[in-house]
Amino acid sequence: MQGLTASSQLSLAVVFAVFLLGSADAAHGLTRVVSSSSDEPCNEMTLYYHDILYNGVNNTRNATSAAATKPTALSTTHWKNGTYFGTLVVFNDPMTVGKALPVAGEEPAARAQGFYFYDKQESYTSWFGFSIVFNSTAHKGTMNLVGADLMDDKTRDLSVVGGTGDFFMARGIATLRLDASEGTVYFRLQMDIKLYECYV
Ligand SMILES: *[C@@H]1O[C@H](CO)[C@@H](O)[C@H](O)[C@H]1NC(C)=O
Ligand SMILES: *[C@@H]1O[C@H](CO)[C@@H](O)[C@H](O)[C@H]1NC(C)=O
Ligand SMILES: *[C@@H]1O[C@H](CO)[C@@H](O)[C@H](O)[C@H]1NC(C)=O
Ligand SMILES: *[C@@H]1O[C@H](CO)[C@@H](O)[C@H](O)[C@H]1NC(C)=O
């Protein structure tokens, strides 16, 4: 700012203030609601996550996820039963309100876009990082989730670390449970999502 005169510094400050006001306005004067009890989320929903893994043969059209890496040598040499340690799977999976997969041509309630990787030698555990992308008449926006999927536990909690659009700055917990599986090509998770910080 050295070369600027006092008056141009002032007008820059004004421009900056207007810019800040402008971005506050972009949030449409939302009110932050923080829940004070785990029993009283400010928003909640249940969605089913359908992971249809590419089988390497004949489900190219239907597959919504695929292994992007092979298991590490550590996984395959030491453990004969293989726990996929090091395998990373990338997905663009449909999410639905009911348990059924969307019928052909029907848009799912949302899509889960991201990855999981297997991260334990001795047994199956994984780690998820993904966005739930909503683009329907009901919701537009994203919710971003991360966390350990401790598959030995009946239910596992992921963190909702943020969101955009209808879920602007959302935070909460998503509780996962395996709802169905078919060999190594399909599994369905029930995700109970509870938000404890909402902007409404
Ligand atoms: C794909 O191949 C598997 C294994 O051979 C078979 O069970 C399945 O019916 C096939 N699916 C289709 C849609 O062809
Ligand atoms: C793909 O899905 C359709 C409809 O769900 C099903 O009819 C078809 O058999 C599936 N194809 C494969 C290759 O799995
Ligand atoms: C793999 O085998 C080891 C023993 O060889 C066992 O401790 C472990 O539980 C097995 N893991 C799975 C996922 O079956
Ligand atoms: C969202 O939906 C609209 C209207 O159906 C469509 O035009 C648009 O391409 C979709 N966006 C994404 C990212 O899928």
Side-chain angles (χ1 to χ4, degrees):
M1 293 239 173
Q2 237 170 8
L4 296 179
T5 63
S7 76
S8 60
Q9 281 188 22
L10 179 67
S11 59
L12 263 186
V14 169
V15 167
F16 189 56
V18 168
F19 175 74
L20 282 180
L21 284 172
S23 43
D25 200 29
H28 302 298
L30 297 174
T31 305
R32 178 168 175 252
V33 177
V34 179
S35 167
S36 55
S37 153
S38 62
D39 299 332
E40 293 169 11
C42 51
N43 193 354
E44 63 183 306
M45 66 180 78
T46 294
L47 291 172
Y48 291 90
Y49 164 101
H50 305 265
D51 197 49
I52 307 162
L53 279 146
Y54 177 50
N55 65 11
V57 190
N58 61 359
N59 71 345
T60 312
R61 275 179 182 278
N62 290 26
T64 58
S65 79
T69 65
K70 291 181 174 166
T72 59
L74 181 64
S75 162
T76 49
T77 55
H78 188 60
W79 302 96
K80 297 296 177 240
N81 52 9
T83 52
Y84 298 106
F85 182 73
T87 303
L88 179 131
V89 173
V90 176
F91 57 82
N92 176 16
D93 283 343
M95 295 193 80
T96 54
V97 174
K99 293 187 179 202
L101 274 168
V103 294
E106 184 189 72
E107 276 303 306
R111 298 204 78 92
Q113 300 181 329
F115 61 82
Y116 57 83
F117 50 79
Y118 290 93
D119 58 1
K120 195 172 175 185
Q121 282 189 54
E122 303 85 356
S123 64
Y124 299 111
T125 70
S126 62
W127 196 93
F128 274 84
F130 65 104
S131 298
I132 302 178
V133 180
F134 295 86
N135 185 28
S136 66
T137 47
H139 297 295
K140 290 210 190 318
T142 64
M143 248 189 255
N144 298 303
L145 290 80
V146 295
D149 179 19
L150 305 171
M151 291 162 69
D152 289 337
D153 295 345
K154 197 166 165 51
T155 65
R156 294 84 74 173
D157 291 337
L158 300 186
S159 304
V160 179
V161 295
T164 64
D166 288 355
F167 305 101
F168 178 78
M169 298 282 281
R171 290 206 299 157
I173 302 286
T175 302
L176 274 54
R177 93 170 38 79
L178 181 69
D179 190 58
S181 67
E182 289 168 23
T184 54
V185 291
Y186 174 78
F187 68 86
R188 180 169 71 229
L189 300 175
Q190 180 180 334
M191 293 193 186
D192 295 321
I193 302 167
K194 293 182 176 167
L195 301 180
Y196 295 100
E197 186 171 332
C198 305
Y199 286 74
V200 294

